[in-house]
Amino acid sequence: MSDQLFQAVLGALILRPELLEASDLTEGDFPAGRTRQTFQEISRTWAERQPREIDPVLLSGSIGGNGAAAFVGSLVDGQIRLEPDAFRGRVLELRRRAITRRIRARLRDQDTLPEIDLTEIRSDLEALDRLAPSSFNPADVLVSGQDLQSREVVVNYAVELAVPARSINMLAAPGGVGKTFFSFGMGNAVSRGEPFLGLATKKRPVYYVDYENPLSLICERARKLNIQAPMFWHLSASTPPPKLDSPAYKLFFELPPGLLIIDTLRAAHDGDENSSQDMSLVMSRLKELREAGFDIFVIHHSPKMNSQTYKGSSAISDLADHVIRLYRTRRSGFDEIQDDDEPGPDARFVLATGKTRYQPFRLFLQFNPDADGFSLAEDPNADALESLSLFIRGAGRGSNQTEIIRWATDTLGVRRRERVIALLKNGEREGRWCSSRGFRGAKTYEPIGP
């Protein structure tokens, strides 16, 4: 360790011993001998009397021995910077060198390599990382609200409405609904820059990371859907895809940024799915990938009887940016139904947003497992929604929910009150009308636009 660095640190402590309060220096940061003894005496004097400065004569006497006075004199001889920031910088450098010295001593003390305590060396290396110089400047990262208002930020999409770019997107659906078919088709469209379910896509590299399905199933579906450009990373690879909660997750950063499809979230980590702490770690790793330029699309299971909830900790959906749900529905509506049968050509599905920081949407789909998987289906509520829209724009303007339900029962033949309420919610979500609270809290509806 440099004598000049010792002089800078110990000299500053002699002239301004209160700097001890601004550091976490210990005697272990100094090698055994006169320098460590000097630090011990300075610390003791400060603890007992807290003087404005340490008397060099008294310090020399406390150290004792030949040359003590000359040694103490050398510490305060020359230019010594006493600013706290400069002192902290020198303390950091002193501690880095002390750790480096300790690592070298451990290596020298071992006769053979297998006897080296790798745990202690690893701990020292991690301490060195924490002491690395920081180039952080608050002015480089802080922005005022006024500046934010002047910025024009455009939301880009890998898949229009469904997958916002540079975001964490989650597809939640019960088992057997067709999540893998959906994700294969979406990845194939993005890799070619072709529309998917009538939605525009942005051409990007696509990586399908499969932690769950057997290779035979992947090959079968790739042939059935004629999958071409997406790249698959399967457990059978010579280097299997790393778990998101393992240090090896950094392998993902070796990929050029693109659409990263993860199948499934549950299989992508070794933690407890119901643990908020475990899942927060997994989601934070996904955020790192998001900030590195990836569009993240995570397949996740929802309970068989209710696709509107998600398996595991609430941290999963809380920390996701955009959650879309896929569930089966009746041909005549958009209420979720449970059906354990393999979906056939007549099966109808709803793809809709759950929790989102982006624009909500709803699509009706049909499924053909023998062809290209999912495709758009006609909205079974289109006629009813259009009739409701005309009524709210005309004679029903400002009507409350009870009055609209009565009108829909008489005019549209809708017998179930719940279905009319669902239609009203859907039309409001699509921007056809808006609602507000009127007299005695009654919910009233008004058209949007002219």
Side-chain angles (χ1 to χ4, degrees), residues 98-210:
I99 293 172
T100 301
R101 184 180 70 251
R102 188 162 62 241
I103 292 173
R104 289 174 177 169
R106 284 176 176 149
L107 292 173
R108 284 197 304 267
D109 290 343
Q110 303 297 324
D111 295 327
T112 58
L113 187 62
E115 295 179 4
I116 294 177
D117 190 337
L118 295 179
T119 301
E120 291 185 352
I121 292 178
R122 187 180 296 111
S123 176
D124 282 338
L125 291 173
E126 291 174 353
L128 278 177
D129 287 340
R130 291 192 295 270
L131 293 172
S134 173
S135 58
F136 175 72
N137 181 0
D140 294 335
V141 298
L142 297 177
V143 58
S144 71
Q146 184 177 4
D147 289 339
L148 288 175
Q149 293 183 49
S150 66
R151 297 185 181 184
E152 293 186 9
V153 180
V154 178
V155 177
N156 295 311
Y157 287 86
V159 180
E160 181 186 0
L161 297 178
V163 184
R166 294 192 64 173
S167 64
I168 301 174
N169 304 275
M170 184 171 74
L171 173 66
V177 166
K179 297 185 294 293
T180 303
F181 267 104
F182 179 91
S183 303
F184 269 45
M186 181 188 70
N188 200 38
V190 171
S191 68
R192 298 179 177 185
E194 298 174 349
F196 176 64
L197 302 177
L199 305 173
T201 68
K202 179 181 179 181
K203 186 176 182 179
R204 299 210 72 189
V206 175
Y207 312 102
Y208 198 103
V209 186
D210 198 308

Side-chain angles (χ1 to χ4, degrees), residues 77-107:
D77 183 22
Q79 296 293 325
I80 299 176
R81 298 186 62 186
L82 301 178
E83 302 90 340
D85 287 344
F87 178 75
R88 282 193 290 269
R90 283 169 173 160
V91 167
L92 286 175
E93 180 60 22
L94 183 150
R95 302 200 74 180
R96 283 193 292 269
R97 295 188 184 186
I99 293 172
T100 301
R101 184 180 70 251
R102 188 162 62 241
I103 292 173
R104 289 174 177 169
R106 284 176 176 149
L107 292 173

Side-chain angles (χ1 to χ4, degrees), residues 176-182 184-185 217-227 328 341-349 365-375:
V177 166
K179 297 185 294 293
T180 303
F181 267 104
F182 179 91
F184 269 45
L217 178 64
I218 295 177
C219 294
E220 176 192 346
R221 291 185 176 173
R223 284 191 292 267
K224 184 173 291 186
L225 298 175
N226 192 27
I227 303 297
R328 293 188 68 172
D341 295 336
E342 184 73 18
D346 292 333
R348 291 295 183 268
F349 296 82
L365 308 177
Q366 59 188 13
F367 182 72
N368 188 346
D370 297 323
D372 54 359
F374 287 96
S375 59

